[in-house]
Amino acid sequence: MYRCKSGKHWWLSKEDAEKCCNGYRRVLCIGDIQGCDRTVYEDETETMYGYKWVPIFSDGNADKKKGSSFTLSPE
């Protein structure tokens, strides 16, 4: 396991730990999973979703499409 730059979060991959708390934010994408590095298909609800890293901009907003992505808080 790897810790992020701040030391607050643990990740299974070194690449994820390097991005966490280092200018990127992890977002959840439901339906439109293009560009996601992790994807899941949930049989019970027939829902496809995934996770991806997006840059954090100076205004504090992640690069996301309206209604298709949600910001996850690892805390």
Side-chain angles (χ1 to χ4, degrees), residues 22-33:
N22 200 19
Y24 288 86
R25 182 178 310 240
R26 191 79 163 156
V27 294
L28 168 65
C29 304
I30 299 174
D32 181 10
I33 59 166

Side-chain angles (χ1 to χ4, degrees), residues 23-58:
Y24 288 86
R25 182 178 310 240
R26 191 79 163 156
V27 294
L28 168 65
C29 304
I30 299 174
D32 181 10
I33 59 166
Q34 290 183 340
C36 292
D37 54 292
R38 306 276 192 284
T39 58
V40 177
Y41 178 75
E42 193 172 283
D43 288 326
E44 288 182 20
T45 60
E46 297 182 356
T47 304
M48 184 72 100
Y49 64 94
Y51 301 92
K52 65 182 174 181
W53 290 102
V54 295
I56 298 172
F57 297 105
S58 60

Side-chain angles (χ1 to χ4, degrees), residues 5 9 13-15 18 21 25-27 30 36-37 40-41 44 52 54 61 63-64 66 71 74-75:
K5 180 180 177 179
H9 312 110
S13 84
K14 183 178 179 181
E15 294 79 19
E18 289 173 351
C21 296
R25 182 178 310 240
R26 191 79 163 156
V27 294
I30 299 174
C36 292
D37 54 292
V40 177
Y41 178 75
E44 288 182 20
K52 65 182 174 181
V54 295
N61 293 324
D63 178 26
K64 58 187 175 183
K66 287 185 178 180
T71 303
E75 299 173 322

